[in-house]
Amino acid sequence: MNHLLGSTEFVQPKSLDDVIKVMAQCHTRQQQYFLFAGGTDLVPYLKNYPEQAGTLVSLSQVQELRGVCLDSQQCLKIGSQTRLAELAGSELIRQHLPGLAEAIAQIASGQIRNQATVGGNLLVNNRCSYFNQSPLNRAYHDECYKAGGEVCHVIVNAKRGDPVLCRARFVSDVAPNLLALGARLSLLSAKGLRHLSLKDFYLPDGIHRNQLADGEILCAIEVPISPKRKVAYEKLRIRKAIDFASLGVAVAWVGEGQARQWHLALTGVHTHPISVNDVEFDGALVTLEKLIKTAEHVAQPLKQDFLSPSYRRRMISVLAKRALARLAD
Amino acid sequence: MGHKQKISFSINGNFWDGYVETSWTLLDVLREQLDLTGTKRGCDMGDCGCCTVLLDNKPVLSCLLPALEVQGRAVKTIEGVASGASLHPVQEAMVEAGAIQCGFCTPAMVLQGVHLLECNSSPSALEIKEAISGTICRCTGYNKIEKAFCLAAQKIAEPK
Amino acid sequence: MKNNYAVVGKPTPALSARDKVTGRAQYTDDLRLKNPLYVRILRSRLASAKILSVDASQARAIEGVKAVLVGADFTRTFGVLPISKDEPALARERVRYFGEPVAAVAAETAEIAALALSQIAVTYQETPECLSMSDGLRKTDQPIHPELKRENNLHKMVKQEFGDVEGAFKGAPIVVEGEFAFAPITHGFTEPHAVQVEIDAEQNLTVYSATQVPHYVHLAMAEVLEHPQEKIRVIKPHIGGGFGGKSDPFPHEMIAAKIALLTGRNTRLLLSREEVFFSNHGRHPTTMNMRLAFHPEEGLKGLDTKVKIDGGAYASFGVVTTYYNGVLLQGPYHLPTSSFQCERIYTNKPMSGAMRGHGGVNPRFASEVLLDMACLEAGLDPCETRIKHLLKENRLTANQFRITSNNLSEGLRLAKERSGWRDKFGKLPLGKGIGVACGFFISGSGLPIHWNNLPQSTVRLTLDFDGLVTVFSGASDLGQGSDTILAQVVGEVLGLPLTMIRVISADTRLCPVDLGSYSSRVTFMAGNAARNAAIRMRRLMVEAAASLLEILPPEKVEPGECEDYFRQGERAPNFASGFLGANPTYADGFNFVGKEVIAPDGRKLKFMDVLARALMGVGILQTAGSYVAPKMGGDFKGAGAGLSPAYSFTGFISEVTVDIESGFIKVDKVTAAHDCGFQLNPLAVEGQIEGSIHMGLGQALMEGVVYEGGAVQNASFLEYKIPSPFEQPEIDIVPMNRPDSEGPFGAKEVGEGALAPILPSVANAVYDAVGIRLKSLPMTPVKVLAELDKLKGAKK
């Protein structure tokens, strides 16, 4: 055996209330905790960072966090601990958001989709070829900011105090789809429940990645649905299995004809997902072109991936148009 | 180090309970504690798929699963696939089709095949590729594994 | 091909298949020795440094730690080639690559070992890193290997020239050339390196190791540990792939054994996937300049090649690789003149070594792309041109390789037909293309690594009272199916089904020496040895049968060593010396079939009755057979490199789709012709071809070890891109089954030769599809788009 999890404690609360309590206890005891959803991102991290000991708080027994339902306001409510495979296989999703099911089918592998959850995917850690490394590799290059060190190997003159310190890239495949569909999140902590649009959730830094507070948990995702709302996703990756997105492009529309609204969202090319929508209506392709231009302008692919930054930028419009073609089918 | 917690779960249809290290994955417990070495440690990071087992009948990567997470659940490993001396049709087909070379990914591939054919009795070529694409095989180029799954589907449809 | 074989030639599932498919097959780390110590290795965080001190006092003080080893605990270096034993088990004085073993810990549990590892303090003094081949050729006063007493980091330089090359280029109507570059490739076997060592009270070591070469591990370990050879036994359990990556003796084997000797305890060591990347021994990163002189009617006139290969920190098989980059260009076409120069350069990176298709894959890519360019320039069909200029049988090449059999012209013609080449080549719409490439490969090296008088392979057989034949062979079955081949060969000679045959292999105590599973040698060499042993066993049975039938036994024909056999381009099968080659008939006139022995006069005896007679007074029947390659080759320096008793020939036709917007190349279909002589086990032959295509496509399209400085940045199966099933094409293997004159039943190799041609066949298909010539591997979408942009720019 070579890799062991460094964590010292493992708890499996049965209810959301208990989860909140455990988090509060850890806080009081000044003990680090990790909310354990599917573990497919967390476990490799813990194996690479054996010094990160703490309490693993498993969410697998919290039934209220699982499942998909249709609430009265024409909105799908997805429990954050719904496994990706369950979500893609859900009748409600297949009926109302088939594009989302197709996008999920492009994530990692069948095994991982049976383990990973939708909440975990939205919160998946940003990746960088200097951060996702063993202790030995990090000792060669020196620990980067995200790993707890004092250097960035991607932006060499980055320094503490910069508005964006870490350029590790955002890689969730689910996020761009849910962004394009206008999803909202419900977050629970001891202070109570709050709702946040997914668009406002992510932060521009690769370390402080989102608005989830200490002691807070992502409970559910609400996605508005209507027969006129559709999404399609194109993923750029070397292999058609296993790999993270070098770039992911989701294109969605809502409404029809002159009133059609467009939404474009990207993953893999920035520290956070990029989301652009347009309420103007000057004809489909023209509008999308404009969105693509905006997204290309915002995107900041860097040298954190096998495929070069300029190539990934170039592929934004190619993939967006392919997604559009799929939408129109 | 040295923190143990008690769990119980079903392994290949048998009840098991005992203490496991909180820092151990299911793969560690299977191989080091239960001596079920048919489940392979290829990368230990969730990339190669060789440690695949069925958890409540679904393929998962045991190297990414803390052992304590299987409390009260049913685990099936390659050792639980054949019934006695008679091989499962997927196993028979893998043997006949020459789908096995070094054999290190074979247990994972067999479990994927068993799962696939339980869900889908006549999978398409694409569905078969999808089913095995989470496990790396460096020997066969996958062609014969795909062939074996087709053959297994036939065997299940028309038992001898 | 019609024959009367009962066992060989039939699609045969591997003997181990049932054990593997049920999870019973035991791989090294699956074994459970009594109360082992867990061993872990501390690795260098630097690529180039002096080791000032290693302080393990805190680690030693931890309860449960039983031993800590440092470099000074080993006095001798090792290496697979006797001429370049430059690798220490643990770094002494200096580290030469990132990830090099520096110290090792043995403890009662894996957890304690991990903890102890973190308590070892190594003080380094950093020294300049040499990370590129151009760096390595620069003058330095701090070479990586000072013992070579060189002023730079050149490890080995080879130059060879055959014929008047410059004359050929001057007279050639067409000359094409190119500069090629190849990323570092690693084997990607799924089972990490693993070793377990069992020790007894007499200091006898039983080493269970995931190795392709138990014999070489045995020899190296005796030397490194300064422990008597007879006290070391190396066993290879089931092994999860090798592909050349487990064909050297390794530091972890020395470490685990040394700790067993020091502590008297069993030891267990498993490398992590990341450590496997540090151990590497993969395909050398390469740059290459090649020129081809071509004549539209006469074919290839001359080939001039200059190669640089990046050896990393140690020698491994590097000297052989240096030669193979040149000599494996001598086929598959008639090539009257050629010259090559290859330099292997040490750098501060994990060492390169042998990988499937050893040394032949990269130059094959370059030469086949150039040949494609020459054909198009001459307005010739690349497929027909290749067929026309293939090496003829029973000839010598310019560097005196003997070509015994070459059936590729028939195979490629068939592939051309089945792929629909005529209607596709040059005629497909933009983005779709078809391309062809060929190759050839050795069926085992004609010369052994260690110069001694042992045969290259020996097989021992026993036939016991129950009728069971046990085959003892040192060859390592890595999953390619060599155990099955040996059983088939023996079964065929003795008329027994495989259920009556067991194979015990890769155990240096029980099995006679076989050099190991590398250079695609086992089917040919161990197969011939097994066949000879079986023929001798058959003789014992024939004599017993004759005695039962009260007739005189037929005149004895001994399977010989084929000394006088076909040497200098003249075919001279010598049946008098008993070398039977591919001849399926036996000189004894008996027929062994279906557990019966049929005499020349037609009388039938039960196999078991004959056996009972044969065992009278002796108790067990035992025979041995061996294989020694015939004397071959020219009389010049380096003539031995690439010599083989037989060569396989391969031709692939690949069909691709190039996505001109994204640059992705998808290989849709490969029509494959591989001449491995007689197919002993067609199921295994197909498996080797399909697997070779998979591995070759990885190198062609996506694989590459990424270094940043001296550190491997993608030491995982997530970031080192081994193709998934979605990237594997449909494969049509054309039937080819013509026996070679010297292989066992006419068989030649199939494990390695079928890899190289896939890379250039795809590159040539990409040219057919979109008009770009890619000369740098892997052919990533980024490079494809860059070339397409250039093409567009040129057209404007």
Side-chain angles (χ1 to χ4, degrees):
Chain A
M1 291 187 311
N2 291 283
H3 291 101
L4 297 158
L5 305 176
S7 288
T8 51
E9 215 183 322
F10 185 91
V11 291
Q12 269 188 336
K14 297 275 189 294
S15 70
L16 203 41
D17 283 349
D18 287 347
V19 174
I20 302 289
K21 274 181 209 152
V22 171
M23 288 194 291
Q25 279 165 11
C26 287
H27 186 76
T28 317
R29 287 186 292 178
Q30 292 192 315
Q31 190 177 19
Q32 182 164 227
Y33 68 85
F34 301 97
L35 290 184
F36 189 97
T40 55
D41 188 43
L42 181 59
V43 171
Y45 166 74
L46 292 175
K47 288 181 177 186
N48 269 336
Y49 288 78
E51 69 281 9
Q52 292 285 350
T55 301
L56 283 185
V57 184
S58 164
L59 302 175
S60 64
Q61 303 295 310
V62 187
Q63 289 308 319
E64 57 211 287
L65 291 176
R66 286 177 83 161
V68 186
C69 63
L70 195 56
D71 87 6
S72 54
Q73 298 157 343
Q74 288 305 293
C75 177
L76 276 177
K77 196 171 169 189
I78 303 168
S80 70
Q81 294 310 298
T82 311
R83 312 261 171 203
L84 291 174
E86 278 168 26
L87 186 60
S90 135
E91 269 311 310
L92 283 170
I93 296 291
R94 294 166 88 143
Q95 188 189 336
H96 298 289
L97 297 170
L100 179 61
E102 285 171 26
I104 290 171
Q106 296 180 52
I107 297 173
S109 66
Q111 293 100 314
I112 285 179
R113 293 193 297 274
N114 282 331
Q115 288 167 275
T117 67
V118 61
N121 192 275
L122 287 178
L123 296 171
V124 69
N125 205 348
N126 287 26
R127 298 185 65 83
C128 176
S129 58
Y130 299 93
F131 172 72
N132 297 99
Q133 290 291 359
S134 70
L136 196 71
N137 182 284
R138 278 148 40 214
Y140 179 90
H141 291 298
D142 294 333
E143 298 275 7
C144 70
Y145 288 119
K146 190 169 168 64
E150 286 302 323
V151 62
C152 176
H153 301 289
V154 174
I155 304 287
V156 282
N157 54 2
K159 53 187 186 305
R160 289 207 183 267
D162 288 354
V164 176
L165 182 62
C166 167
R167 309 298 172 126
R169 65 190 189 97
F170 185 83
V171 293
S172 163
D173 291 301
V174 173
N177 286 278
L178 291 181
L179 276 166
L181 290 166
R184 277 167 22 115
L185 307 179
S186 50
L187 309 166
L188 183 73
S189 69
K191 291 180 201 152
L193 194 66
R194 64 172 175 141
H195 296 281
L196 202 62
S197 135
L198 185 59
K199 197 173 178 180
D200 299 329
F201 181 62
Y202 293 108
L203 298 173
D205 183 65
I207 299 168
H208 302 289
R209 302 172 293 124
N210 55 52
Q211 310 260 17
L212 192 74
D214 191 28
E216 194 169 42
I217 178 174
L218 167 60
C219 296
I221 302 115
E222 288 164 19
V223 193
I225 50 165
S226 84
K228 293 160 195 155
R229 189 181 289 271
K230 273 178 89 178
V231 67
Y233 183 63
E234 287 284 323
K235 179 170 176 172
L236 182 73
R237 50 182 167 168
I238 290 289
R239 299 176 289 191
K240 285 202 167 55
I242 302 174
D243 290 343
F244 282 100
S246 293
L247 163 70
V249 181
V251 176
W253 68 36
V254 60
E256 325 178 79
Q258 291 292 295
R260 176 163 285 168
Q261 288 177 20
W262 292 86
H263 202 131
L264 177 71
L266 310 185
T267 191
V269 282
H270 208 306
T271 53
H272 56 81
I274 292 168
S275 165
V276 215
N277 63 53
D278 197 336
V279 289
E280 292 174 28
F281 16 85
D282 46 355
L285 261 178
V286 180
T287 307
L288 188 66
E289 286 287 359
K290 214 159 79 185
L291 293 185
I292 292 169
K293 285 253 150 46
T294 312
E296 280 175 336
H297 183 70
V298 181
Q300 209 176 56
L302 293 167
K303 209 193 116 196
Q304 333 98 319
D305 187 68
F306 185 79
L307 293 170
S308 72
S310 61
Y311 173 78
R312 283 186 287 149
R313 182 187 297 281
R314 179 171 174 174
M315 284 306 106
I316 294 172
S317 66
V318 172
L319 264 56
K321 283 168 192 162
R322 288 182 183 184
L324 173 70
R326 293 240 311 275
L327 263 189
D329 270 353
Chain B
M1 201 180 302
H3 293 258
K4 289 194 174 188
Q5 270 175 247
K6 194 173 181 189
I7 59 162
S8 58
F9 64 103
S10 155
I11 175 73
N12 297 327
N14 300 314
F15 178 81
W16 187 87
D17 67 346
Y19 286 85
V20 300
E21 295 275 350
T22 55
S23 64
W24 280 23
T25 62
L26 177 62
L27 176 64
D28 298 332
V29 170
L30 291 174
R31 290 183 56 82
E32 305 302 324
Q33 217 165 336
L34 305 184
D35 210 9
L36 293 169
T37 55
T39 309
K40 301 302 181 198
R41 192 189 302 275
C43 74
D44 226 5
M45 296 295 267
D47 302 326
C48 77
C50 292
C51 68
T52 298
V53 300
L54 299 184
L55 179 65
D56 294 336
N57 278 324
K58 286 181 186 151
V60 297
L61 301 174
S62 62
C63 77
L64 295 185
L65 202 59
L68 290 163
E69 192 74 347
V70 304
Q71 165 63 37
R73 305 174 76 179
V75 176
K76 186 186 246 184
T77 68
I78 187 65
E79 287 89 348
V81 172
S83 35
S86 68
L87 299 182
H88 186 282
V90 170
Q91 293 173 309
E92 270 177 28
M94 294 272 288
V95 171
E96 285 167 28
I100 301 149
Q101 287 186 31
C102 86
F104 205 74
C105 74
T106 302
M109 292 295 186
V110 169
L111 288 163
Q112 288 286 3
V114 169
H115 171 71
L116 173 69
L117 296 177
E118 268 170 20
C119 303
N120 181 352
S121 58
S122 54
S124 67
L126 204 63
E127 286 165 332
I128 291 176
K129 274 188 195 288
E130 180 56 47
I132 61 174
S133 64
T135 304
I136 288 171
C137 172
R138 189 57 156 170
C139 296
T140 65
Y142 310 99
N143 305 74
K144 291 209 180 311
I145 299 174
E146 293 167 20
K147 214 166 151 187
F149 283 18
C150 292
L151 182 61
Q154 283 170 24
K155 281 174 182 280
I156 293 169
E158 308 151 22
K160 272 182 236 158
Chain C
M1 171 86 26
K2 287 245 170 14
N3 60 60
N4 296 319
Y5 296 138
V7 185
V8 296
K10 310 274 182 274
T12 306
L15 297 178
S16 59
R18 277 176 189 78
D19 276 347
K20 285 176 176 172
V21 87
T22 53
R24 281 189 183 88
Q26 304 250 297
Y27 297 74
T28 298
D29 196 58
D30 299 341
L31 303 171
R32 295 291 171 259
L33 303 183
K34 287 251 188 305
N35 198 22
L37 290 175
Y38 292 79
V39 182
R40 295 199 45 174
I41 296 173
L42 180 72
R43 291 176 181 272
S44 170
R45 61 178 177 82
L46 295 169
S48 174
K50 287 193 171 129
I51 300 175
L52 300 181
S53 69
V54 182
D55 178 2
S57 54
Q58 288 198 29
R60 287 182 210 274
I62 295 170
E63 195 183 335
V65 172
K66 295 296 168 186
V68 178
L69 289 187
V70 297
D73 290 311
F74 294 93
T75 53
R76 294 183 185 214
T77 54
F78 64 94
V80 66
L81 303 180
I83 46 169
S84 54
K85 295 182 184 177
D86 62 358
E87 187 180 1
L90 287 169
R92 290 197 305 253
E93 290 155 29
R94 60 191 299 160
V95 289
R96 296 182 171 88
Y97 68 94
F98 168 73
E100 180 164 9
V102 171
V105 166
E108 296 291 354
T109 69
E111 288 89 338
I112 297 172
L115 176 69
L117 221 52
S118 68
Q119 300 299 308
I120 297 175
V122 185
T123 320
Y124 296 105
Q125 182 192 340
E126 291 192 42
T127 47
E129 292 173 330
C130 169
L131 297 174
S132 70
M133 293 194 274
S134 47
D135 263 5
L137 289 175
R138 244 172 250 136
K139 206 171 162 182
T140 174
D141 53 4
Q142 294 187 43
I144 295 171
H145 286 279
E147 72 273 16
L148 292 182
K149 304 202 184 329
R150 283 217 176 94
E151 291 183 324
N152 63 12
N153 283 314
L154 181 70
H155 167 215
K156 174 81 186 173
M157 152 117 97
V158 171
K159 267 185 177 178
Q160 282 188 338
E161 185 162 348
F162 304 99
D164 176 12
V165 184
E166 277 319 304
F169 274 91
K170 273 185 200 133
I174 292 174
V175 172
V176 285
E177 60 190 305
E179 193 178 334
F180 299 85
F182 304 86
I185 298 298
T186 200
H187 315 81
F189 41 75
T190 46
E191 180 206 21
H193 293 291
V195 61
Q196 298 207 47
V197 181
E198 195 168 22
I199 187 166
D200 71 10
E202 306 289 337
Q203 303 261 296
N204 287 304
L205 298 174
T206 304
V207 180
Y208 300 90
S209 185
T211 178
Q212 298 174 234
V213 288
H215 177 60
Y216 292 152
V217 172
H218 185 183
L219 297 181
M221 191 171 277
E223 205 174 308
V224 171
L225 303 183
E226 299 173 74
H227 198 60
Q229 281 186 356
E230 70 275 15
K231 282 180 173 282
I232 297 172
R233 173 184 186 185
V234 181
I235 298 175
K236 174 213 65 84
H238 284 293
I239 180 171
F243 315 113
K246 296 171 178 171
S247 61
D248 295 62
F250 278 88
H252 61 266
E253 293 167 324
M254 307 303 158
I255 291 166
K258 178 87 182 176
I259 290 173
L261 281 177
L262 284 176
T263 60
R265 292 275 299 273
N266 297 338
T267 55
R268 179 176 175 198
L269 198 170
L270 171 70
L271 264 55
S272 71
R273 179 53 55 188
E274 185 189 35
E275 288 180 288
V276 174
F277 278 87
F278 301 153
S279 298
N280 191 23
H281 291 75
R283 208 183 297 299
H284 289 63
T286 301
T287 59
M288 190 175 292
N289 287 285
M290 194 183 278
R291 287 193 301 154
L292 170 68
F294 185 79
H295 188 285
E297 279 85 48
E298 297 162 24
L300 293 81
K301 301 301 289 179
L303 194 61
D304 174 40
T305 309
K306 289 194 175 55
V307 192
K308 289 188 176 71
I309 59 176
D310 184 340
Y314 293 105
S316 180
F317 274 97
V319 173
V320 176
T321 321
T322 311
Y323 275 105
Y324 276 9
N325 264 277
V327 299
L328 292 182
L329 286 165
Q330 294 289 333
Y333 313 108
H334 178 61
L335 179 63
T337 79
S338 63
S339 60
F340 87 93
Q341 173 188 314
C342 182
E343 294 165 289
R344 185 179 194 263
I345 298 143
Y346 283 123
T347 58
N348 290 117
K349 286 188 270 190
M351 76 206 78
S352 308
M355 180 172 164
R356 200 178 201 174
H358 188 188
V361 174
N362 296 345
R364 174 65 39 211
F365 180 82
S367 63
E368 289 292 313
V369 167
L370 291 183
L371 181 55
D372 211 59
M373 290 163 64
C375 288
L376 295 193
E377 199 177 322
L380 297 170
D381 180 286
C383 209
E384 275 306 321
T385 308
R386 280 174 167 84
I387 293 170
K388 183 175 167 192
H389 298 295
L390 285 169
L391 284 166
K392 303 283 183 287
E393 298 188 333
N394 306 320
R395 302 279 174 83
L396 292 178
T397 64
N399 70 333
Q400 304 196 29
F401 290 170
R402 315 171 320 160
I403 305 304
T404 51
S405 62
N406 177 3
N407 189 27
L408 185 58
S409 57
E410 187 190 320
L412 192 53
R413 217 163 252 134
L414 207 51
K416 188 181 164 207
E417 219 165 88
R418 284 162 73 128
S419 64
W421 172 274
R422 202 183 304 273
D423 301 326
K424 291 177 179 167
F425 179 70
K427 296 173 185 157
L428 295 169
L430 179 70
K432 295 267 182 194
I434 189 165
V436 62
C438 299
F440 85 131
F441 203 72
I442 57 175
S443 293
S445 171
L447 297 176
I449 286 175
H450 295 265
W451 287 94
N452 59 33
N453 291 323
L454 283 178
Q456 278 139 320
S457 186
T458 302
V459 168
R460 183 165 70 89
L461 295 183
T462 62
L463 175 48
D464 212 340
F465 76 97
D466 50 6
L468 189 82
V469 177
T470 309
V471 182
F472 297 89
S473 162
S476 280
D477 194 332
L478 315 174
Q480 84 280 38
S482 62
D483 283 356
T484 311
I485 292 289
L486 298 183
Q488 283 182 283
V489 164
V490 170
E492 184 62 47
V493 175
L494 296 175
L496 295 174
L498 294 186
T499 50
M500 295 306 291
I501 298 166
R502 299 287 183 279
V503 179
I504 292 178
S505 62
D507 176 334
T508 61
R509 172 77 38 86
L510 300 179
C511 307
V513 171
D514 175 274
L515 300 181
S517 296
Y518 64 95
S519 81
S520 229
R521 56 179 293 287
V522 175
T523 291
F524 198 95
M525 296 187 174
N528 264 326
R531 188 156 179 270
N532 286 355
I535 289 170
R536 288 185 174 129
M537 182 65 79
R538 181 181 167 108
R539 174 71 195 182
L540 299 179
M541 291 291 283
V542 164
E543 283 170 7
S547 135
L548 278 176
L549 296 168
E550 301 182 324
I551 57 175
L552 280 175
E555 198 186 330
K556 192 166 177 176
V557 177
E558 259 294 294
E561 308 296 1
C562 54
E563 274 289 321
D564 305 318
Y565 194 49
F566 177 49
R567 190 179 298 176
Q568 296 294 333
E570 298 275 327
R571 174 162 292 256
N574 189 340
F575 286 88
S577 79
F579 187 81
L580 301 175
N583 190 342
T585 60
Y586 301 94
D588 57 41
F590 280 67
N591 195 5
F592 281 56
V593 65
K595 294 195 195 179
E596 281 188 332
V597 178
I598 305 163
D601 60 13
R603 283 187 289 168
K604 288 182 182 177
L605 294 167
K606 287 206 171 69
F607 185 92
M608 292 305 285
D609 294 341
V610 177
L611 177 59
R613 168 61 64 99
L615 289 174
M616 269 172 63
V618 295
I620 193 164
L621 300 188
Q622 297 199 64
T623 60
S626 57
Y627 179 79
V628 182
K631 286 200 178 65
M632 301 178 285
D635 186 20
F636 54 90
K637 186 169 163 33
L643 278 184
S644 178
Y647 297 87
S648 72
F649 292 85
T650 314
F652 286 161
I653 293 176
S654 291
E655 293 169 63
V656 305
T657 304
V658 181
D659 181 334
I660 55 170
E661 283 181 324
S662 73
F664 271 77
I665 298 167
K666 169 88 179 76
V667 182
D668 300 312
K669 189 179 174 192
V670 176
T671 309
H674 179 84
D675 170 21
C676 59
F678 175 70
Q679 299 190 2
L680 288 168
N681 183 355
L683 202 57
V685 168
E686 289 170 13
Q688 288 302 308
I689 293 172
E690 290 164 356
S692 293
I693 288 172
H694 159 83
M695 194 170 275
L697 283 180
Q699 180 179 4
L701 301 179
M702 55 190 71
E703 289 178 32
V705 178
V706 177
Y707 290 96
E708 180 145 341
V712 185
Q713 285 304 90
N714 59 343
S716 71
F717 278 164
L718 179 60
E719 299 300 344
Y720 184 85
K721 308 292 184 185
I722 290 174
S724 84
F726 293 109
E727 283 77 52
Q728 179 75 352
E730 177 195 343
I731 296 170
D732 176 23
I733 299 172
V734 307
M736 289 176 75
N737 216 358
R738 194 152 65 81
D740 176 69
S741 51
E742 295 184 33
F745 298 96
K748 302 188 286 187
E749 79 86 36
V750 60
E752 301 194 52
L755 191 149
I758 188 64
L759 294 81
S761 74
V762 169
N764 293 340
V766 169
Y767 183 81
D768 187 49
V770 293
I772 56 171
R773 284 284 173 203
L774 293 161
K775 293 174 184 162
S776 159
L777 295 183
M779 298 182 265
T780 62
V782 181
K783 291 178 191 168
V784 171
L785 279 198
E787 287 298 317
L788 283 172
D789 287 350
K790 266 193 235 164
L791 192 68
K792 251 187 246 161
K795 274 185 186 159
K796 273 177 195 165

